[in-house]
Amino acid sequence: MNHNMQEGSAKVAQNAANTVASLGVDKSLIFVESVQVKDGEKGEESAARDARYAAIINAAKDLGASAVLLAHTADDQAETVIIGLRDSAGLEAVAGMKNITVRSGIRFARPLINLRRLETTNICKDLGIEWWDDPTNGDLTPSDVELPKSYPLRSRIRHTLMPYISRFFATDMTLLLAKGAKFAQDDLDYINSQVDIIERETILKQNYDSCAHEVKIAISPLTKQHTSIRRRIIARALTAAGIRFSSNHIESIDELITNWHGQKPVALPGGYAASRKSQTITICER
């Protein structure tokens, strides 16, 4: 994958393709995709990830692939947990990335999620496989020097933050966070299985005629549900409406269910609002 974000990126991508071919993979199954990253409100890293996934999904569909294998390691998992704790709250923040996910109908698997980055490097060394280290990882910067803010957040977490908190607690926090994410994911899988059942009774419809991405939530089935179930239903409804939301938005909409006293609609990003009428909450453009 060539993101066109660094000088010489096309050569790096082609070298990777050549390495794969040298391992015996059919050349007809090797693709070098060039994508253009559009830096939007979510930031360059997020934009690069979206562009990458879009290209991978298109290629996987063209090939009829049964799964796409991703190279995320335990280090990536620990970093995801740290970022999750910064960006959100609750179980999802510490659950990290799932071993298997489905995106746009394509199954993605992470077979290396329990291995450290150093282990994958050593495997390459043992097998004589050439690899490339992204210079934005900051690997050439001494470990006792903090990476400047010009580096990607993940790089700064890996190079500066994780070693610090590991020294602070005198333990390998990368492995602890990655292992904790697995336990949290097991709990989250069970909770979501219960949410799946409730969702069929509560998220009533998406009516694209009267309002783009309108979503309605039936209140009655939620009044006796646990907070964890209610808030996940709200999150799914907001996702179905295509809205970027925070835990504050979820809490405010939950107040329409548990503490209804005729309050005004809850303002949401993108010009949307959530309003209650009788036993229904409607999420729609204002």
Side-chain angles (χ1 to χ4, degrees):
M1 185 69 64
N2 176 17
H3 294 85
N4 293 289
M5 296 172 67
Q6 297 177 18
E7 184 177 351
S9 60
K11 182 179 179 180
V12 171
Q14 188 58 55
N15 286 343
N18 294 340
T19 298
V20 172
S22 71
L23 297 174
V25 176
D26 189 332
K27 290 186 178 180
S28 66
L29 301 177
I30 301 173
F31 298 85
V32 176
E33 293 286 344
S34 178
V35 298
Q36 296 299 320
V37 177
K38 299 179 180 180
D39 188 4
E41 61 178 20
K42 295 187 292 183
E44 189 176 65
E45 289 182 73
S46 180
R49 182 173 57 253
D50 290 344
R52 178 169 62 251
Y53 269 103
I56 292 173
I57 288 168
N58 287 336
K61 288 182 177 179
D62 289 342
L63 288 170
S66 58
V68 173
L69 304 184
L70 302 174
H72 293 121
T73 65
D75 295 75
D76 297 305
Q77 182 72 295
E79 293 153 18
T80 299
V81 171
I82 292 292
I83 293 172
L85 290 171
R86 182 203 67 168
D87 292 342
S88 61
L91 191 56
E92 283 82 359
V94 296
M97 298 178 287
K98 299 180 68 173
N99 288 358
I100 296 176
T101 57
V102 176
R103 188 166 180 165
S104 298
I106 299 298
R107 182 185 299 269
F108 289 87
R110 298 179 172 89
L112 307 180
I113 198 70
N114 295 318
L115 294 179
R116 294 294 303 272
R117 181 188 180 211
L118 180 60
E119 291 178 286
T120 61
T121 300
N122 287 335
I123 289 172
C124 289
K125 288 180 179 178
D126 291 342
L127 298 177
I129 299 174
E130 181 183 356
W131 74 92
W132 178 76
D133 286 320
D134 187 338
T136 64
N137 286 336
D139 293 329
L140 299 179
T141 303
S143 59
D144 59 343
V145 177
E146 183 175 341
L147 285 183
K149 291 185 178 181
S150 58
Y151 279 78
L153 176 60
R154 278 186 176 274
S155 299
R156 290 186 283 126
I157 290 173
R158 179 179 300 174
H159 181 277
T160 305
L161 180 60
M162 294 306 298
Y164 172 78
I165 61 176
S166 291
R167 289 193 302 270
F168 184 89
F169 289 111
T171 190
D172 189 339
M173 287 302 298
T174 295
L175 288 180
L176 284 178
L177 288 172
K179 187 175 182 179
K182 176 62 172 65
F183 289 136
Q185 192 63 61
D186 291 341
D187 292 343
L188 187 58
D189 285 344
Y190 172 75
I191 293 173
N192 281 332
S193 71
Q194 303 307 300
V195 177
D196 290 341
I197 297 171
I198 304 300
E199 180 180 2
R200 293 192 285 268
E201 305 175 48
T202 53
I203 299 182
L204 299 180
K205 67 177 181 177
Q206 299 176 47
N207 184 348
Y208 300 106
D209 294 329
S210 61
C211 173
H213 303 291
E214 177 185 275
V215 177
K216 292 182 180 293
I217 305 173
I219 295 174
S220 296
L222 292 177
T223 54
K224 295 183 180 180
Q225 294 297 327
H226 190 276
T227 304
S228 175
I229 301 294
R230 289 198 314 272
R231 291 182 176 173
R232 282 174 170 78
I233 289 292
I234 294 168
R236 290 191 183 189
L238 292 171
T239 299
I243 300 172
R244 291 190 67 200
F245 57 90
S246 68
S247 57
N248 288 335
H249 296 125
I250 293 177
E251 289 179 3
S252 296
I253 296 176
D254 195 32
E255 284 280 303
L256 299 180
I257 299 172
T258 61
N259 187 28
W260 173 244
H261 49 270
Q263 58 263 49
K264 294 180 179 180
V266 175
L268 299 169
Y272 280 75
S275 59
R276 173 169 174 169
K277 184 177 181 180
S278 185
Q279 291 297 304
T280 303
I281 293 174
T282 301
I283 300 170
C284 189
E285 288 179 294
R286 287 179 285 183

